[in-house]
């Protein structure tokens, strides 16, 4: 299977729907679209407490996740969430406020380890009930910052790296997650539950993870902001992996400001992840400049990224006009000649690294884990075929299991080639040639139908792959709607260019104000 085909399957969803269609009355929610800054102000003024916030969000989840529209975004709630909120309220009352995230309810993806009463399973029944021996570095940073971890979000099982015919948003442990804008449409990617949770106001912000598209794609199809950071900016320790050369966690939010605030907490140097040694210590909220488009040089990469969907292209054309009106210098086109040349090589690298990295993670779980290796996971899935393999198989896992060690010359050569083509000769060369601040492409076509019969089917350009393979940052922002279905616009650039991308994305968001909250419709309004 070509890597391009696999990636586009995870992004766009399928052609035939398979979910019951029902209309649900949605009660008004006091904290709809609440921002981190707004909630902090309310708590500082005594108008609300962290406990009240957590109580409200838990009630919202109870009413809508397994009941009502049955969004399927949450895989497990934190039984200690209310107690944590009460403790943080006592700290605030005593004059100790830890920072912008103090008392803010956050949901994290089910592949991010927590050493508490919640399991960490990547959605798989093979790890059901397994408690991690320690917090992931980013989970510990959230706790230190005063965030309340409400629970874990559902996800595409094993981060969508199990089958060539998988259905995005489905896991053996959590079932099918839905798109808040149209319940029969794909939530996309593997951070599907995190996206649905933020869109549906189950939390203020959420954390997702990405190897290629799994933050950016679900964020874009649910009209959110997603930031896929430079690999090494955010620690990977304690996160169930696909591939260390591309894996990263990142924020998913309703605004660029909230995403920047969360990224400032997540980013940091971790002794357990050597690649974070180069990570800068930055408050990304300082990049929030409403006038940030003035003079920004933006290159429109058309070849391979446009021409997949006429309505999407029209929305992006309007976005480009808006940025030009806001003072941006538009260079059009600035095509990257290497795009697509590393697709098969990317998939090959991921297969090698998945086996090695997952084996290392599982070995670190100790005696409590019933599976110790990828081979054990494959065997478990076969034993539990009725529950785990009822909709799709594990072809990708079987391919990965056949790979040799990371010392294999073919792996090392392909990894180096991928980074050169996507990074040095791709993004870096294009940015340098045209003196760009960012490269701009459509993030996605409108999301397709959920299809548990034949799996995901692709539509749209390879927007996430260049930055993913290079290990570079990528930001998506809402760009409009096609038949009420969200479409996003992407900004990406060289390593460590997050401040620039955040400045541009925030200015675009402020200039256009395109996001509309979801109405949880049973299907798109045609």
């Amino acid at each position: 299977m070509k890597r391009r085909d696999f990636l586009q399957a995870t992004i766009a969803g399928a052609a035939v729907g398979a979910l019951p269609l029902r209309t649900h009355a949605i009660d008004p929610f006091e904290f709809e679209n609440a921002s981190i800054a707004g909630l902090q102000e309310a708590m500082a003024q005594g108008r609300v407490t962290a406990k009240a916030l957590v109580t409200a969000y838990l009630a919202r989840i109870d009413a809508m996740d397994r009941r009502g529209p049955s969004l399927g975004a949450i895989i497990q709630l934190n039984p200690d969430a209310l107690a944590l909120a009460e403790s943080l309220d006592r700290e605030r009352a005593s004059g100790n406020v830890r920072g912008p995230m103090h008392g803010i309810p956050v949901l994290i993806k089910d592949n991010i380890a927590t050493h508490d009463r919640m399991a960490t399973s990547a959605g798989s029944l093979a790890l059901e009930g397994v408690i991690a021996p320690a917090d992931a570095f980013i989970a510990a940073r959230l706790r230190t910052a005063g965030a309340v971890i409400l629970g874990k979000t559902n996800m595409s099982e094993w981060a969508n790296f199990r089958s060539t015919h998988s259905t995005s948003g489905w896991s053996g442990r959590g079932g099918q997650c839905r798109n808040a804008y149209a319940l029969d449409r794909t939530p996309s990617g593997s951070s599907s539950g995190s996206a649905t949770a933020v869109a549906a106001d189950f939390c203020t912000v959420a954390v997702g993870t990405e190897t290629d598209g799994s933050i950016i794609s679900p964020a874009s199809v649910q009209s959110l902001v997603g930031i896929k950071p430079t690999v090494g900016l955010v620690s990977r320790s304690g996160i169930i992996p696909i591939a260390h050369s591309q894996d990263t966690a990142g924020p998913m939010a309703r605004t660029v400001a909230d995403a920047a605030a969360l990224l400032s907490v997540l980013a940091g140097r971790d002794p357990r992840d050597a690649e974070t040694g180069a990570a800068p210590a930055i408050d990304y909220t300082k990049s929030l400049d409403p006038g940030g488009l003035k003079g920004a040089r933006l290159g429109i990469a058309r070849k391979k990224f446009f021409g997949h969907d006429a309505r999407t292209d029209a929305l992006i054309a309007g976005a480009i006009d808006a940025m030009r009106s806001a003072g941006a210098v538009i260079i059009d086109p600035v095509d990257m000649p290497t795009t697509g040349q590393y697709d098969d090589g990317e998939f090959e690298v991921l297969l090698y690294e998945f086996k090695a990295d997952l084996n290392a993670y599982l070995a670190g779980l100790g005696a409590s884990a019933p599976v110790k290796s990828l081979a054990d996971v494959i065997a478990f899935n076969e034993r539990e075929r009725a529950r785990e393999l009822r909709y799709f198989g594990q072809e990708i896992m079987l391919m990965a299991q056949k790979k040799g060690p990371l010392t294999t010359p073919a792996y090392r050569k392909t990894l180096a080639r991928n980074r050169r083509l996507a990074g040095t000769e791709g993004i870096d060369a294009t940015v340098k040639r045209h003196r760009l601040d960012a490269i701009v492409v459509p993030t996605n076509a409108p999301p397709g139908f959920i299809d548990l019969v034949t799996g995901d089917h692709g539509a749209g350009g390879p927007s996430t792959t260049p930055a993913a393979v290079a290990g570079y940052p990528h930001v998506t922002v809402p760009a409009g709607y096609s038949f009420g279905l969200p479409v996003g616009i992407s900004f990406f650039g060289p390593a460590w260019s997050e401040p620039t991308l955040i400045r541009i994305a925030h200015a675009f968001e402020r200039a256009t104000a395109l996001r509309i909250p979801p109405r949880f419709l049973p299907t798109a309004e045609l």
Side-chain angles (χ1 to χ4, degrees):
M1 183 187 195
K2 290 182 179 295
R3 172 62 185 161
R4 172 76 57 77
D5 296 336
F6 170 75
L7 170 65
Q8 292 310 311
T10 67
I11 288 179
V16 180
L19 292 174
L21 304 180
R22 295 176 293 169
T23 301
H24 299 275
I26 306 300
D27 293 334
F29 182 54
E30 179 182 1
F31 301 109
E32 182 179 5
N33 293 324
S35 67
I36 291 173
L39 292 177
Q40 284 298 339
E41 181 180 2
M43 286 189 283
Q45 294 175 355
R47 291 186 282 113
V48 71
T49 63
K51 181 181 179 181
L53 286 176
V54 169
T55 300
Y57 281 119
L58 291 177
R60 174 84 164 177
I61 291 168
D62 179 65
M64 297 181 63
D65 199 56
R66 289 293 183 259
R67 298 189 289 122
S70 300
L71 294 173
I74 309 301
I75 208 164
Q76 186 172 6
L77 290 170
N78 186 354
D80 300 318
L82 281 170
L84 292 168
E86 288 177 337
S87 175
L88 289 161
D89 284 336
R90 289 193 294 271
E91 283 190 30
R92 184 182 292 274
S94 69
N96 179 30
V97 177
R98 301 188 190 188
M101 293 300 295
H102 189 110
I104 299 296
V106 177
L107 284 162
I108 64 176
K109 191 175 176 179
D110 185 44
N111 59 351
I112 301 170
T114 54
H115 183 61
D116 51 19
R117 292 196 285 167
M118 292 187 290
T120 304
S121 70
S124 173
L125 294 169
L127 292 176
E128 188 173 31
V130 175
I131 305 300
D135 275 349
F137 182 76
I138 60 172
R141 286 184 70 84
L142 286 169
R143 296 190 203 277
T144 300
V148 179
I149 299 177
L150 277 182
K152 302 284 185 76
T153 56
N154 196 9
M155 57 183 284
S156 303
E157 187 175 303
W158 297 111
N160 235 343
F161 210 69
R162 198 190 88 183
S163 172
T164 55
H165 296 84
S166 62
T167 299
S168 289
W170 184 89
S171 72
R173 188 170 167 230
Q176 180 65 52
C177 178
R178 305 194 190 198
N179 188 311
Y181 283 81
L183 303 181
D184 60 351
R185 297 278 168 165
T186 181
S188 191
S190 75
S191 301
S192 43
S194 294
T196 298
V198 176
D201 287 298
F202 289 173
C203 56
T204 313
V205 288
V207 182
T209 67
E210 173 161 331
T211 306
D212 187 337
S214 286
I215 290 172
I216 298 300
S217 180
S220 66
V221 302
Q222 300 213 54
S223 208
L224 299 175
V225 175
I227 300 178
K228 196 285 288 187
T230 303
V231 172
L233 180 63
V234 175
S235 171
R236 299 158 296 179
S237 65
I239 300 176
I240 299 176
I242 289 181
H244 61 268
S245 65
Q246 294 183 202
D247 285 353
T248 180
M252 304 175 79
R254 292 180 289 271
T255 65
V256 177
D258 280 358
L262 181 54
L263 182 61
S264 299
V265 170
L266 298 178
R269 298 179 181 179
D270 176 11
R272 293 183 291 169
D273 185 349
E275 196 153 353
T276 63
I282 293 176
D283 177 358
Y284 291 97
T285 64
K286 296 187 182 302
S287 299
L288 301 172
D289 178 5
L293 279 168
K294 188 173 183 179
R297 293 180 60 84
L298 305 180
I300 314 303
R302 292 194 173 272
K303 188 176 181 181
K304 299 184 183 296
F305 298 99
F306 285 75
H308 302 277
D309 179 79
R311 292 184 179 89
T312 297
D313 289 354
L315 288 171
I316 301 304
I320 293 168
D321 287 343
M323 291 188 287
R324 184 182 288 110
S325 295
V329 178
I330 304 298
I331 300 91
D332 186 4
V334 294
D335 297 315
M336 296 177 288
T338 59
T339 300
Q341 295 180 21
Y342 38 80
D343 291 349
D344 291 346
E346 179 194 19
F347 191 49
E348 188 75 0
V349 164
L350 300 191
L351 291 173
Y352 274 98
E353 294 188 3
F354 182 59
K355 179 182 179 180
D357 294 350
L358 184 60
N359 283 346
Y361 177 88
L362 294 175
L365 293 179
S368 64
V371 289
K372 313 294 184 187
S373 65
L374 174 58
D376 287 349
V377 174
I378 291 170
F380 175 91
N381 290 339
E382 287 295 339
R383 290 195 305 272
E384 298 293 336
R385 173 173 286 274
R387 295 193 295 166
E388 279 288 1
L389 304 183
R390 55 180 166 163
Y391 297 124
F392 50 87
Q394 53 181 341
E395 303 88 359
I396 291 175
M397 286 186 163
L398 293 169
M399 284 187 273
Q401 180 59 24
K402 294 177 182 178
K403 294 301 180 185
L406 298 185
T407 55
T408 303
Y411 157 75
R412 297 169 70 90
K413 180 179 179 181
T414 304
L415 175 61
R417 179 178 182 272
N418 290 350
R419 287 175 166 169
R420 173 174 54 81
L421 289 173
T424 309
E425 297 178 9
I427 294 172
D428 291 335
T430 303
V431 166
K432 183 178 180 180
R433 184 181 308 118
H434 299 283
R435 296 180 291 113
L436 301 177
D437 292 294
I439 296 170
V440 180
V441 300
T443 309
N444 62 293
F449 289 109
I450 295 169
D451 186 351
L452 289 167
V453 178
T454 60
D456 291 344
H457 300 284
S463 66
T464 63
T465 301
V469 175
Y472 291 174
H474 185 159
V475 179
T476 186
V477 181
Y481 302 86
S482 177
F483 294 109
L485 299 172
V487 170
I489 187 169
S490 283
F491 305 92
F492 56 85
W496 316 114
S497 61
E498 283 86 352
T500 299
L501 299 181
I502 288 169
R503 172 174 57 82
I504 291 166
H506 176 68
F508 171 78
E509 176 189 65
R510 292 289 296 271
T512 57
L514 291 169
R515 183 177 186 269
I516 300 170
R519 292 186 289 147
F520 311 99
L521 299 177
T523 192
E525 292 185 317
L526 303 181

